[in-house]
Amino acid sequence: MSLSGLKFGKKKLKEEERQLQANNRDFNLQFEYANNSIKTSKYNFFTFLPLNLFEQFQRIANAYFLFLLILQLIPQISSLAWFTTVVPLVLVLAVSGVKDAIDDFNRHKSDKHVNNRPVQVLINGMLKDEKWMNVQVGDIIKLENNNFVTADLLLLSSSEPHSLTYIETAELDGETNLKVKQALTVTAELGEDLQKLTEFNGEVKCEAPNNKLDKFTGTLTLRGEKYALDNEKMLLRGCTIRNTEWCFGLVIYAGPDTKLMQNSGKTTFKRTSIDRLMNVLVLVIFAFLGLMCLILAIGNGIWEHDKGYYFQVYLPWAEGVKSASYSGFLMFWSYVIILNTVVPISLYVSVEIIRLGNSFYIDWDRKMYYPSNDTPAQARTTTLNEELGQIKYIFSDKTGTLTQNIMCFNKCSINGKSYGDVYDMSGQRIEINENTEKVDFSYNQLADPKFAFYDHSLVEAVKLGDVPTHRFFRLLSLCHTVMPEEKKEGNLIYQAQSPDEGALVTAARNFGFVFRARTPETITVVEMGETKVYKLLAILDFNNVRKRMSVIVRSPEGDLTLYCKGADTILYELLHSSCDSLKEETTEHLNEFAGEALRTLVVAYKNLDEDYFQDWIRRHHEASTALEGREDKLSELYEEIEKDLTLLGATAIEDKLQDGVPQTIETLAKANIKIWVLTGDKQETAMNIGYSCNLLHDDMDDVFLIEGHTSDDVLNELRNARKKMKPDSFLDSNEINIQFEKSSKKPKIIPDEQANGVYGLVITGHSLAYALEGNLELELVRTACMCKVVICCRVTPLQKAQVVELVKKYKKAVTLAIGDGANDVSMIKTAHIGVGISGQEGMQAVLSSDFSFAQFRYLQRLLLVHGRWSYIRMCKFLKYFFYKNFAFTLVHFWYGFFSGFSAQTVYDEWFITLYNLVYTSLPVLGMSLFDQDVDDRWSMLFPQLYVPGQENLYFNKMVFVKCMVQGIYSSLILFFIPYGAMYNTMRSDGKAIADYQSFALMVQTCLLIVVSVQIGLDTSYWTVVNQFFIWGSLSVYFAITFTMYSDGMYLIFTASFPFVGTARNTLSQPNVWLAIFLSITLCVLPVVGFRFLKAQLKPTPSDKILLKIKKDKKKPPPPSPKRRLRRTSTRRSGYAFSHQHGFGALIMSGRNMRPKSPFATTGTFSPNSDKHKHKGL
């Protein structure tokens, strides 16, 4: 079935337009639209084995070992038994297969859970319970309060007045405030009448499936009439129905065609940089293997020609071999089999086990467990752990990731006096913490118990009846678009279009001005216990140009007043000249608030003349009904009446950060990690959060704003920024300029450029659209990557992914994306590492992530502790593994020169089989699972230790060459010392010891002890497990050797165990042990000497930090600084507005009004009544 509603034929055509008919499955089936089933799994029961094996043999190494197995089955060239390759190969395939099966089983489970959710579908005039996966395009379904929206629906009708439906879109855009959708009037009439709904046969034509969350265009044709459809009439999958008893919707897009799934991005197979490097190194090793085999094959050809040819009676050539050159050809393949252990298959098994073990550490970490909602950290993939130790760029969402999306009324300025700070007896400002005494609002029966305020002087001003203070809170209780809900008496719940408005109205409520109820014509407020009903005459709505909103009300006493709140930059221009002195005082307070990154609004009012207002309202009615230029006419009228305002003061709201965000960002910055914030919020809000969480600060040399509306403007702004940061980056001699002048289609990696200071960059969504175009993307990445911090605001989910992709394309750096909403999914999938925050905004981001946890602050532990340890462990493992296998394998190479290049093995075949699987596997796994250079506390205290991982210093091509050279050196010692010790040697009883079997045993014993000593040198952190594995492996070696070389085993399995008596005869000789000791000394001494001299003469920054830590360990580590990150600023703070334009008109129309609350009528409930009157008033 097509995922985009395409017909299957010889060619697959892209869907250009969607056409469907309600209640007509037969009509809709002809287009083969996708049904509502989603599938994220890869296999089923029958396809698992063939598909999984096909995928596994796409790995170069697995295909290579299969090729070796085939060679070993050819008798003429087989120099090793077939089981030496089959056993490890089957083990590798089985381990990987089981892991893939478990992962896919979990995907099946998740798919099944979603696809089997129940929903009521209208079929043949009746509502039937169906599974989500059986829902099809054109079906009409019923949703109830708190239901998830099943598919992308056209809203037909609902239980609310005028068929309004309230939805929460947290999973789509990360916003928890409610949004309102409204059905067409023609469909609203259908109500919940099943007969009418069944007869509804409207035909919808609309755009093809796409990922634009905020856009939808289409038409509904019903009874010959056409009706326009837009996004305001759509309920998207991923939303949740709120405060709406029921609603009916027509399925437009289902399953993979829904906007939620279209925004999920393409799932790519993620591989670490070490994986990619290993593939290159494996190819290098194959080339090296081929060279060795070629040398030995040529040697065999020459030897057979010069010597072997003349005593074929003693050493006959193999059957079919007629010449020395053919013998050399066969020997080439024989040596390929013998020397294959230079890339052992157990390497890949061990890598998987190490990654799995390090993933469990993340799952088990109690310091990343969030008890509030019982959420542990989770490694959702086991293949990317070491990449966590190499992150250079973090791309973070804002809402729900850095912030809690909870707004708190923090401070205010009223009539030139600032409230909100707390002072001690000496007049010194004290820091507010959990022990600070809160204001007691118990005198107010309608107060919100969750509201906290600490400055008692504001309550005193309210109680004393201070006129400006009362007017200030009256304004906050009247000038808004909040909807109240009171199901129980006194239990008020506010449904706000923006959390900012909710915070302001709640503040007014607690200070004695309780917004109780509203109708299209009135607003009911309980003022200091007295219920008052204000007539609502007009709402002058907010939009992004006006940056303010006003209401005109008539008080019970008959006074006409305009109340206005908005951005300080806008409102200051509208004030009466008499407010100049108050304006200066308020500006000082605004700057203080901005210094603490609070979101501010200025509030003002104006008393209106009755005659003037009547004339104005008449003109307002004419403008609002005008067919042409309606918006412009209304805007002019708003400008006319909103002037000569009287300033009241300002509000300051805190957009609460998640715990520990500023400290986390500060720590990550010390680790040389650059943080980019990609948010859908407006510029002012994003910058506010940038300052409050310590991303931006006043010590920066500059913060560049990129907000051009044309391609040329954006280019100029970017270039001007780069010119200031690094003037010489424009010179023709600049390395990057030279590099990009050479024409090449392949994307070039841009080296890091250092700016001449500390800079930040803020770019808006419309400017980013131009900057991401082909000719500007290079300019964007060069300018942005020079900055310490980049904030992209008003960006779409697709733009988030494009920004991440841009950095991946031009920078040799590992990227991490972190978010918590469905709008972050594409970014999470695009980055090298995706982290999902399991918070308020659903699980969509978590399901697409590689790692998940509940709080942003856990990111520093994930990277600086788990990531760094995983990277160091993997690097140590690879260095040791390649070393021990070069040392093991190259002994065969040197032996070839002394065995007539006959492809005879140095070691016993059983030793070859067990070397990587038994004798050396556990010690290296012990080191790779438990090793740590410093513990987690020191890792967090010294983030600079993270830098070597970013620069990939611990394992790279040069480090590999060093391992190779060390392995070659060790193999020379391990062959020639035993060879010299054995040459013409006698035992103590006079018998000869210089036989092949004794030599083989001595070499393999030397080898095993040397590699065990080497792993001891590589281990930084000793545990009981490490000790047990190293000594246990040596013990197992001697136990197996003495058992296999015993008389009993020879008598039972004569052909399989020919080394009878060798162990007891050889290892009982003192000169053998002396030679073993000499081999160990010669192999280990250069390593110890080199490491000592390097640490003394040329220490790395990490060496210096580790030395400092060793000194500091003698005294307890200092506690983490818990200081308040305060600053002062003269920048203007952003204004706190984010509700939808047009909501004021909706309120005035009354279309969203519910039946009047029985508790909201005048005089029915008052804190001043005898029943509720408090003694304190």
Side-chain angles (χ1 to χ4, degrees):
M1 180 177 55
S2 164
L3 296 185
S4 311
L6 314 177
K7 285 194 173 184
F8 273 97
K10 290 183 180 177
K11 285 187 178 178
K12 198 187 262 188
L13 298 173
K14 189 177 178 184
E15 185 179 351
E16 299 291 341
E17 184 185 63
R18 174 151 296 200
Q19 184 178 354
L20 60 105
Q21 198 170 357
N23 291 316
N24 192 341
R25 283 193 171 184
D26 293 336
F27 175 82
N28 299 324
L29 281 171
Q30 66 177 311
F31 300 105
E32 296 186 3
Y33 296 137
N35 68 12
N36 207 40
S37 170
I38 60 164
K39 181 190 171 195
T40 59
S41 56
K42 289 163 68 178
Y43 316 108
N44 61 35
F45 182 79
F46 299 103
T47 61
F48 173 74
L49 200 60
L51 276 179
N52 189 258
L53 286 175
F54 176 73
E55 283 176 5
Q56 291 206 55
F57 282 117
Q58 285 183 323
R59 281 185 185 172
I60 296 171
N62 286 349
Y64 166 69
F65 288 115
L66 183 65
F67 172 65
L68 275 180
L69 177 60
I70 294 165
L71 288 181
Q72 283 179 307
L73 297 174
I74 302 170
Q76 286 85 350
I77 59 173
S78 180
S79 46
L80 284 173
W82 59 271
F83 58 78
T84 57
T85 299
V86 166
V87 173
L89 180 61
V90 169
L91 186 64
V92 170
L93 296 175
V95 168
S96 297
V98 167
K99 187 173 148 297
D100 290 342
I102 291 169
D103 286 348
D104 206 58
F105 175 74
N106 289 332
R107 282 192 287 267
H108 271 286
K109 208 165 149 188
S110 172
D111 291 347
K112 190 176 178 183
H113 173 71
V114 173
N115 289 333
N116 287 332
R117 282 177 179 164
V119 65
Q120 297 180 71
V121 182
L122 185 64
I123 300 173
N124 298 327
M126 294 173 63
L127 284 172
K128 293 184 181 177
D129 282 338
E130 270 286 6
K131 293 176 180 177
W132 273 30
M133 61 182 176
N134 296 329
V135 171
Q136 293 185 16
V137 171
D139 286 353
I140 291 177
I141 63 176
K142 181 183 180 182
L143 297 173
E144 294 175 346
N145 195 29
N146 297 326
N147 280 175
F148 289 110
V149 177
T150 311
D152 287 357
L153 311 175
L154 170 66
L155 179 61
L156 297 178
S157 61
S158 83
S159 56
E160 300 303 290
H162 303 276
S163 281
L164 294 177
T165 299
Y166 297 88
I167 58 166
E168 188 181 276
T169 59
E171 283 210 17
L172 284 176
D173 56 17
E175 295 181 10
T176 51
N177 48 293
L178 296 187
K179 294 183 173 60
V180 181
K181 301 290 182 177
Q182 184 176 16
L184 286 168
T185 311
V186 69
T187 61
E189 296 164 358
L190 301 172
E192 57 180 333
D193 187 325
L194 296 186
Q195 184 62 36
K196 286 184 180 176
L197 285 162
T198 305
E199 291 168 358
F200 177 70
N201 61 351
E203 196 170 307
V204 174
K205 285 187 179 179
C206 62
E207 60 195 8
N210 59 67
N211 61 4
K212 292 172 184 169
L213 293 172
D214 56 351
K215 190 184 166 203
F216 175 79
T217 53
T219 57
L220 169 68
T221 306
L222 183 64
R223 295 189 287 271
E225 293 287 327
K226 274 194 177 183
Y227 303 90
L229 303 178
D230 56 26
N231 205 44
E232 297 307 306
K233 296 167 183 62
M234 292 292 291
L235 305 179
L236 302 184
R237 180 174 178 145
C239 298
T240 309
I241 305 295
R242 299 285 190 217
N243 300 339
T244 306
E245 196 177 326
W246 54 262
C247 66
F248 284 87
L250 171 67
V251 178
I252 305 294
Y253 305 119
D257 291 346
T258 57
K259 291 185 185 284
L260 176 72
M261 298 305 291
Q262 291 276 314
N263 263 298
S264 294
K266 190 180 176 185
T267 302
T268 53
F269 177 62
K270 294 183 178 181
R271 294 166 64 208
T272 66
S273 53
I274 283 183
D275 268 339
R276 292 189 290 274
L277 177 61
M278 272 171 57
N279 268 356
V280 173
L281 296 182
V282 165
L283 290 172
V284 170
I285 293 169
F286 287 164
F288 181 65
L289 173 66
L291 179 65
M292 289 193 296
C293 294
L294 184 64
I295 292 168
L296 293 168
I298 292 169
N300 177 265
I302 294 169
W303 191 89
E304 291 290 1
H305 182 270
D306 292 348
K307 295 184 179 178
Y309 179 77
Y310 297 106
F311 56 96
Q312 289 187 50
V313 175
Y314 178 65
L315 269 179
W317 284 352
E319 189 180 336
V321 176
K322 304 296 182 188
S323 66
S325 57
Y326 186 59
S327 171
F329 172 76
L330 292 179
M331 282 304 154
F332 176 86
W333 298 109
S334 296
Y335 272 115
V336 167
I337 294 170
I338 288 178
L339 301 178
N340 81 79
T341 48
V342 79
V343 188
I345 196 162
S346 58
L347 169 69
Y348 292 92
V349 180
S350 303
V351 165
E352 293 296 325
I353 293 170
I354 292 163
R355 285 173 172 165
L356 187 65
N358 284 312
S359 298
F360 282 133
Y361 290 149
I362 295 170
D363 294 346
W364 296 335
D365 192 342
R366 288 188 178 184
K367 291 180 182 176
M368 292 168 69
Y369 169 73
Y370 190 56
S372 298
N373 56 6
D374 189 28
T375 308
Q378 187 181 9
R380 297 176 53 81
T381 179
T382 57
T383 56
L384 301 171
N385 303 61
E386 68 271 14
E387 198 98 306
L388 289 170
Q390 299 179 274
I391 303 299
K392 191 74 178 282
Y393 289 89
I394 291 175
F395 299 91
S396 174
D397 175 41
K398 182 192 77 69
T399 308
T401 304
L402 299 177
T403 67
Q404 300 178 34
N405 203 26
I406 296 172
M407 304 297 171
C408 295
F409 182 82
N410 193 293
K411 294 181 181 180
C412 62
S413 169
I414 304 173
N415 201 31
K417 185 176 179 187
S418 178
Y419 296 95
D421 286 318
V422 182
Y423 298 87
D424 59 16
M425 299 299 288
S426 61
Q428 294 293 313
R429 184 159 65 177
I430 59 174
E431 189 175 326
I432 294 171
N433 55 41
E434 60 270 13
N435 300 319
T436 310
E437 186 189 358
K438 295 179 183 177
V439 170
D440 182 13
F441 291 110
S442 59
Y443 70 87
N444 182 353
Q445 297 291 323
L446 291 171
D448 184 345
K450 290 181 282 190
F451 179 82
F453 200 76
Y454 301 91
D455 187 353
H456 295 260
S457 64
L458 184 54
V459 179
E460 293 305 316
V462 171
K463 287 182 177 179
L464 291 170
D466 181 60
V467 175
T469 306
H470 276 218
R471 190 173 278 140
F472 177 86
F473 284 115
R474 185 177 297 116
L475 183 149
L476 296 187
S477 67
L478 292 169
C479 184
H480 55 78
T481 57
V482 173
M483 298 296 296
E485 188 176 349
E486 190 173 1
K487 289 185 177 175
K488 289 184 184 175
E489 186 173 345
N491 182 17
L492 270 172
I493 296 169
Y494 291 144
Q495 301 293 351
Q497 273 275 299
S498 78
D500 310 274
E501 285 220 297
L504 293 174
V505 177
T506 301
R509 167 185 175 180
N510 276 57
F511 283 103
F513 288 76
V514 184
F515 167 56
R516 192 72 184 274
R518 82 177 327 138
T519 70
E521 299 87 23
T522 64
I523 296 176
T524 304
V525 180
V526 180
E527 293 186 4
M528 302 305 292
E530 183 183 349
T531 303
K532 291 188 175 183
V533 179
Y534 288 84
K535 287 188 177 178
L536 178 61
L537 303 172
I539 294 180
L540 284 57
D541 208 359
F542 163 86
N543 67 34
N544 282 323
V545 178
R546 282 166 45 74
K547 295 185 180 178
R548 64 186 183 276
M549 78 160 288
S550 302
V551 294
I552 300 173
V553 295
R554 190 188 297 278
S555 70
E557 294 78 25
D559 297 328
L560 270 174
T561 313
L562 177 143
Y563 292 109
C564 182
K565 66 181 181 187
D568 49 12
T569 50
I570 300 292
L571 239 66
Y572 273 8
E573 303 299 319
L574 308 175
L575 296 178
H576 193 271
S577 56
S578 61
C579 301
D580 286 351
S581 60
L582 178 57
K583 189 160 73 169
E584 286 179 19
E585 292 173 347
T586 307
T587 302
E588 282 182 31
H589 296 154
L590 282 170
N591 290 337
E592 285 178 27
F593 301 157
E596 296 176 41
L598 301 176
R599 295 158 67 113
T600 58
L601 282 175
V602 169
V603 295
Y605 76 101
K606 178 182 179 181
N607 291 319
L608 299 175
D609 175 69
E610 183 70 44
D611 294 336
Y612 168 74
F613 174 71
Q614 292 302 332
D615 177 57
W616 184 89
I617 200 72
R618 179 185 55 76
R619 288 182 289 136
H620 176 268
H621 177 72
E622 289 172 3
S624 61
T625 55
L627 294 176
E628 291 182 6
R630 182 185 302 173
E631 292 295 324
D632 293 337
K633 287 176 183 176
L634 284 174
S635 184
E636 282 176 23
L637 281 170
Y638 293 169
E639 293 280 347
E640 178 192 315
I641 202 167
E642 290 174 329
K643 63 183 180 186
D644 295 331
L645 304 177
T646 303
L647 180 62
L648 267 176
T651 63
I653 291 173
E654 180 187 4
D655 188 353
K656 281 187 94 64
L657 295 172
Q658 286 199 9
D659 295 339
V661 165
Q663 293 83 355
T664 300
I665 285 170
E666 196 174 18
T667 304
L668 293 174
K670 286 179 185 171
N672 200 30
I673 295 172
K674 293 186 176 180
I675 299 176
W676 293 26
V677 176
L678 311 177
T679 176
D681 265 347
K682 62 178 183 288
Q683 181 180 307
E684 291 86 352
T685 310
M687 287 183 73
N688 265 9
I689 294 301
Y691 278 101
S692 61
C693 63
N694 237 29
L695 277 167
L696 301 172
H697 50 83
D698 289 332
D699 297 335
M700 283 183 158
D701 294 82
D702 203 351
V703 176
F704 303 111
L705 296 179
I706 311 297
E707 45 193 356
H709 287 272
T710 67
S711 184
D712 290 338
D713 289 346
V714 173
L715 179 62
N716 290 332
E717 287 174 348
L718 288 170
R719 284 189 169 166
N720 290 337
R722 181 156 65 91
K723 202 170 213 173
K724 183 170 183 180
M725 289 190 286
K726 190 176 182 183
D728 60 0
S729 66
F730 285 89
L731 298 175
D732 292 338
S733 57
N734 182 274
E735 179 192 340
I736 298 173
N737 294 337
I738 295 168
Q739 182 184 345
F740 277 85
E741 275 172 14
K742 296 174 184 174
S743 58
S744 170
K745 288 184 181 177
K746 188 183 175 186
K748 297 183 177 72
I749 299 299
I750 301 176
D752 287 340
E753 296 178 274
Q754 293 301 320
N756 55 19
V758 180
Y759 296 92
L761 183 96
V762 179
I763 183 167
T764 57
H766 58 80
S767 300
L768 186 63
Y770 292 114
L772 289 169
E773 290 174 359
N775 56 336
L776 282 185
E777 63 175 21
L778 180 62
E779 193 64 50
L780 172 65
V781 81
R782 282 188 74 178
T783 305
C785 290
M786 271 194 234
C787 297
K788 189 75 177 169
V789 175
V790 177
I791 297 177
C792 304
C793 35
R794 287 289 186 214
V795 292
T796 64
L798 186 61
Q799 282 179 323
K800 289 185 178 186
Q802 287 173 328
V803 170
V804 177
E805 190 60 55
L806 184 69
V807 174
K808 281 174 68 179
K809 179 180 175 183
Y810 285 110
K811 285 286 175 180
K812 193 178 181 182
V814 181
T815 60
L816 179 146
I818 179 168
D820 68 330
N823 56 335
D824 304 314
V825 168
S826 53
M827 168 176 83
I828 284 170
K829 287 185 174 179
T830 304
H832 293 101
I833 301 278
V835 177
I837 298 231
S838 44
Q840 307 177 44
E841 303 186 4
M843 296 295 288
Q844 208 64 34
V846 171
L847 293 173
S848 306
S849 66
D850 305 307
F851 301 90
S852 68
F853 42 70
Q855 293 278 291
F856 181 83
R857 68 176 184 270
Y858 298 147
L859 184 61
Q860 62 180 325
R861 187 169 178 83
L862 182 73
L863 301 186
L864 303 184
V865 178
H866 293 286
R868 191 174 152 274
W869 281 352
S870 295
Y871 172 69
I872 290 173
R873 288 165 182 166
M874 184 60 73
C875 292
K876 279 190 173 185
F877 164 78
L878 291 172
K879 285 192 286 188
Y880 174 76
F881 212 92
F882 283 123
Y883 158 72
K884 78 180 178 72
N885 283 293
F886 270 107
F888 169 71
T889 307
L890 264 73
V891 174
H892 287 297
F893 181 76
W894 310 123
Y895 183 61
F897 289 90
F898 294 84
S899 63
F901 306 98
S902 59
Q904 184 182 6
T905 58
V906 180
Y907 316 111
D908 170 24
E909 282 189 357
W910 284 103
F911 179 80
I912 293 171
T913 305
L914 298 174
Y915 176 72
N916 279 309
L917 286 179
V918 177
Y919 301 147
T920 60
S921 59
L922 288 180
V924 72
L925 283 176
M927 179 186 73
S928 306
L929 290 173
F930 301 107
D931 202 48
Q932 44 182 271
D933 53 351
V934 293
D935 65 23
D936 55 345
R937 290 173 306 156
W938 296 104
S939 293
M940 302 277 272
L941 280 171
F942 290 94
Q944 299 86 348
L945 286 168
Y946 189 80
V947 175
Q950 295 172 329
E951 296 171 3
N952 210 12
L953 296 181
Y954 293 148
F955 189 76
N956 50 45
K957 289 172 186 172
M958 185 51 68
V959 171
F960 171 73
V961 169
K962 288 178 184 174
C963 296
M964 203 169 164
V965 169
Q966 186 190 352
I968 293 169
Y969 166 76
S970 295
S971 69
L972 282 164
I973 299 294
L974 291 169
F975 176 77
F976 285 104
I977 297 293
Y979 180 80
M982 284 280 186
Y983 194 69
N984 289 335
T985 303
M986 296 290 180
R987 281 170 27 145
S988 54
D989 58 4
K991 292 180 181 176
I993 199 174
D995 61 90
Y996 161 70
Q997 292 186 344
S998 299
F999 172 70
L1001 178 67
M1002 187 176 175
V1003 172
Q1004 61 198 42
T1005 304
C1006 281
L1007 170 70
L1008 201 60
I1009 296 174
V1010 164
V1011 297
S1012 297
V1013 172
Q1014 181 66 43
I1015 200 153
L1017 290 174
D1018 288 346
T1019 302
S1020 304
Y1021 182 70
W1022 285 92
T1023 64
V1024 175
V1025 178
N1026 294 84
Q1027 297 272 11
F1028 176 74
F1029 281 172
I1030 291 173
W1031 295 110
S1033 293
L1034 284 170
S1035 304
V1036 165
Y1037 164 70
F1038 285 111
I1040 289 176
T1041 300
F1042 277 96
T1043 303
M1044 288 199 306
Y1045 298 172
S1046 64
D1047 298 351
M1049 292 297 285
Y1050 175 73
L1051 292 171
I1052 300 168
F1053 305 105
T1054 306
S1056 299
F1057 299 101
F1059 279 48
V1060 59
T1062 306
R1064 62 175 181 267
N1065 290 336
T1066 307
L1067 296 179
S1068 60
Q1069 301 305 307
N1071 59 336
V1072 169
W1073 285 104
L1074 187 64
I1076 290 171
F1077 177 74
L1078 181 62
S1079 300
I1080 295 165
T1081 305
L1082 288 173
C1083 284
V1084 171
L1085 202 60
V1087 178
V1088 175
F1090 174 77
R1091 290 183 184 180
F1092 175 77
L1093 290 172
K1094 185 174 179 291
Q1096 296 298 315
L1097 303 176
K1098 199 180 175 183
T1100 62
S1102 293
D1103 291 333
K1104 292 173 186 173
I1105 294 169
L1106 290 170
L1107 186 65
K1108 186 179 186 307
I1109 289 171
K1110 280 180 185 173
K1111 291 176 183 174
D1112 289 351
K1113 274 185 179 176
K1114 293 171 186 175
K1115 51 189 177 183
S1120 301
K1122 290 186 179 178
R1123 56 193 177 83
R1124 192 171 181 194
L1125 299 159
R1126 297 183 67 93
R1127 57 189 189 86
T1128 57
S1129 174
T1130 54
R1131 59 176 281 277
R1132 287 295 171 86
S1133 172
Y1135 58 94
F1137 252 132
S1138 59
H1139 70 248
Q1140 282 173 284
H1141 170 54
F1143 202 64
L1146 187 64
I1147 287 173
M1148 293 295 288
S1149 71
R1151 288 176 298 175
N1152 63 336
M1153 299 298 171
R1154 297 181 184 168
K1156 208 172 188 181
S1157 164
F1159 314 113
T1161 53
T1162 307
T1164 54
F1165 176 80
S1166 166
N1168 267 5
S1169 65
D1170 292 335
K1171 184 180 175 184
H1172 297 287
K1173 191 176 283 185
H1174 195 277
K1175 291 176 184 177
L1177 271 179

